Amino acid sequence: MLNDFYDIESEPIVNVEAFYGPQKHLVDKCIVIFSKVIYDHLLQKYECTKLDEISACNGAIPIWSFDNKGEKVAFYLSPIGSAIAGGTVAEVNHIIGATKFVMFGSCGSLDSEKTAGKFIIPTESYRGEGLSYYFAEAKDYIKIKNSDAVANIFQELKVPFVQGRIWTTDSMIRETVNLVNKRKQEGCIAVEMEVAGVQAVCDFYGFDLYDFLAAGDVLVEDDYCIDDLEDANHNLDKLQIALRILERI
């Protein structure tokens, strides 16, 4: 069935212009934020201007801009999950014109020895979600194209990191023992819920995605640990790194 999802032989029926009008070109770079704490911090610390908003029947998502060392940069609070996060990136591009997206969030560690005390920079992501199959041919993994570029920036900043495969899932509560073991055997060191889909959308439309993760919970059979989850979600160090990445891309 998944092989049937990727259709590039016909045109989409739903047209984003029907909702937002012609595409705008307001900024080049945008931060994709999943933490309400970090989002609120940006709004409070910086002089922010509302550029536009993503409309939906359950509420709008404002898109803001602020000045980062002389450059106008956008940001918004993204919904969680591959399908909606990936679709939102495409809408944001149409609404404000951004083509470079810096995205960060938390994840679950599948190998605490490799990830402890380090940020995770994905190299490939297992496509355990649905969105990516509409934007890329069906394969198990999708390559994270700017992994090495992000790693080079981390080296320059002297921030500890590890590169490796990750697993994108649509269902956190169905990360079963057998599935975790399969992904670990394939070399996955973390699991999260957005990267594969967002990367597929970016590849399809020609956007650049720069992604890194912080491990919060550790998925080990009979010893599931969430001690670092709040810090991984909301610590402002991720924002500072994202700002440094924006200055270098």
Side-chain angles (χ1 to χ4, degrees):
M1 182 178 72
L2 292 175
N3 287 301
D4 190 49
F5 289 0
Y6 184 59
D7 172 25
I8 56 172
E9 304 301 324
S10 62
E11 296 298 317
I13 293 175
V14 178
N15 191 325
V16 181
E17 288 192 4
F19 296 95
Y20 299 111
Q23 185 177 23
K24 300 172 186 173
H25 298 277
L26 307 178
V27 299
D28 294 325
K29 303 174 185 178
C30 184
I31 311 174
V32 182
I33 298 174
F34 294 102
S35 163
K36 183 68 162 56
V37 172
I38 294 174
Y39 174 78
D40 287 343
H41 172 80
L42 272 170
L43 288 174
Q44 293 164 9
K45 181 176 180 179
Y46 293 89
E47 184 176 338
C48 298
T49 301
K50 185 177 177 181
L51 297 176
D52 212 316
E53 64 182 27
I54 304 161
S55 58
C57 62
N58 61 348
I61 299 173
I63 306 171
W64 303 89
S65 70
F66 69 101
D67 181 87
N68 182 45
K69 295 189 175 180
E71 181 178 40
K72 187 177 180 182
V73 174
F75 70 96
Y76 64 95
L77 184 64
S78 174
I80 293 173
S82 178
I84 190 69
T88 299
V89 163
E91 290 185 70
V92 168
N93 165 263
H94 186 86
I95 295 170
I96 64 171
T99 58
K100 297 180 180 180
F101 294 88
V102 176
M103 186 171 82
F104 57 84
S106 65
C107 64
S109 173
L110 301 182
D111 190 335
S112 59
E113 291 186 5
K114 290 184 178 179
T115 63
K118 300 176 182 177
F119 287 97
I120 298 164
I121 301 175
T123 57
E124 294 181 290
S125 187
Y126 181 81
R127 294 162 66 182
E129 39 67 60
L131 178 75
S132 67
Y133 295 92
Y134 290 92
F135 289 89
E137 292 182 4
K139 295 180 181 178
D140 288 349
Y141 283 85
I142 188 167
K143 182 179 179 181
I144 311 306
K145 291 184 177 178
N146 287 318
S147 177
D148 287 342
V150 175
N152 289 338
I153 294 172
F154 269 67
Q155 286 182 329
E156 180 185 342
L157 298 174
K158 295 181 172 56
V159 176
F161 71 93
V162 59
Q163 284 179 279
R165 280 181 159 186
I166 65 167
W167 166 23
T168 301
T169 179
D170 268 345
S171 182
M172 181 177 66
I173 60 175
R174 291 300 298 158
E175 294 167 2
T176 65
V177 171
N178 287 343
L179 292 178
V180 167
N181 288 336
K182 285 180 181 179
R183 300 292 80 80
K184 290 174 68 174
Q185 289 168 9
E186 294 169 359
C188 291
I189 59 175
V191 56
E192 53 76 61
M193 297 186 67
E194 290 85 24
V195 172
V198 175
Q199 183 67 63
V201 169
C202 288
D203 289 349
F204 187 84
Y205 291 113
F207 312 154
D208 279 312
L209 175 67
Y210 302 85
D211 181 79
F212 64 95
L213 301 162
D217 48 348
V218 179
L219 281 74
V220 179
E221 188 176 355
D222 300 325
D223 191 25
Y224 177 59
C225 176
I226 61 169
D227 290 349
D228 298 322
L229 190 56
E230 182 172 353
D231 188 59
N233 282 328
H234 305 304
N235 195 306
L236 294 175
D237 57 357
K238 294 186 295 301
L239 174 61
Q240 297 308 314
I241 294 170
L243 295 177
R244 303 293 83 79
I245 293 173
L246 287 167
E247 294 162 14
R248 290 163 170 80
I249 59 175

